[in-house]
Amino acid sequence: MDWISPVSTLAGAVVGVGAALTAERLRWRRDQERDAAQTRRTVYSEFLMALSRGHTDMRSIVLQPDRPSGDALYGELHQALDGAGIWRLRQSLSLTASAEIIQLAEAACDALAAMRDRLIEEPTIRGDSYRVCRADLWRENAHLREAMRRDLGMNGPEDPEVGEYRLSDIRRSSGGS
């Protein structure tokens, strides 16, 4: 009977240490998930700002009163997109984001590149072709932001632009106006 007290003490210690290790493991996992979400939030924000900067810089070039033309315009519009950091940040996304977000980011990049190409052909933001490219970019950007918000577990109302563009997608696929 003298062995019961040390065994029960040992069992209590094992249970206590096991519980402490389990709690520490859960805390570590929660910290890891929080850090990963913060990293994604940072990369997502930087990527979205780079998309916006690329668009804004291209518009600024086209709006210049003494805007370049020909090869100079081609070079400046390409530099506006390259200088915004979009391609570098796409690489960061490939290390941090889900396949869905990477696919949506590529679609947004493609829409922005299509806008650049359209501005090279027709360097004005007043024409219908620019408006169509801009709507395509905003739609892709809105879908990307919605997926990013979902991935980060953000609560609150949906991005209002997503609904607007989703409605236009439905109208387009159903043949409506």
Side-chain angles (χ1 to χ4, degrees):
M1 288 298 202
D2 290 340
W3 57 270
I4 292 178
S5 180
V7 169
S8 63
T9 300
L10 180 60
V14 167
V15 168
V17 168
L21 288 174
T22 300
E24 185 58 33
R25 172 75 176 155
L26 291 173
R27 185 175 312 120
W28 176 81
R29 184 175 290 158
R30 196 172 43 246
D31 290 347
Q32 291 292 102
E33 289 170 2
R34 186 185 64 241
D35 291 348
Q38 182 57 43
T39 298
R40 288 193 317 277
R41 181 177 289 111
T42 299
V43 171
Y44 293 175
S45 294
E46 289 176 1
F47 183 79
L48 292 171
M49 287 188 292
L51 282 173
S52 179
R53 187 171 31 258
H55 176 224
T56 300
D57 290 351
M58 288 190 306
R59 280 177 43 98
S60 295
I61 291 166
V62 170
L63 288 171
Q64 292 175 7
D66 56 343
R67 155 182 84 239
S69 60
D71 289 343
L73 177 64
Y74 177 91
E76 284 198 30
L77 288 173
H78 273 267
Q79 181 54 43
L81 219 50
D82 294 346
I86 296 164
W87 313 124
R88 176 184 55 83
L89 289 164
R90 260 180 67 177
Q91 298 303 315
S92 295
L93 277 177
S94 71
L95 297 174
T96 58
S98 68
E100 175 195 16
I101 289 174
I102 292 169
Q103 182 179 17
L104 291 168
E106 288 175 359
C109 286
D110 291 347
L112 191 58
M115 176 184 285
R116 176 203 57 212
D117 296 344
R118 175 57 59 198
L119 288 171
I120 290 169
E121 291 174 21
E122 187 182 329
T124 180
I125 62 169
R126 291 184 179 93
D128 287 339
S129 65
Y130 172 77
R131 287 186 190 101
V132 168
C133 287
R134 184 184 62 194
D136 289 344
L137 173 62
W138 285 354
R139 182 185 60 250
E140 296 303 335
N141 198 337
H143 291 310
L144 175 60
R145 287 192 318 266
E146 180 182 45
M148 289 174 167
R149 287 172 50 91
R150 228 181 9 257
D151 179 54
L152 295 171
M154 297 179 77
N155 296 322
E158 286 189 4
D159 186 332
E161 288 182 5
V162 174
E164 177 183 332
Y165 290 111
R166 191 169 282 138
L167 182 58
S168 68
D169 286 345
I170 292 168
R171 286 180 186 152
R172 190 175 309 146
S173 67
S174 68
S177 55

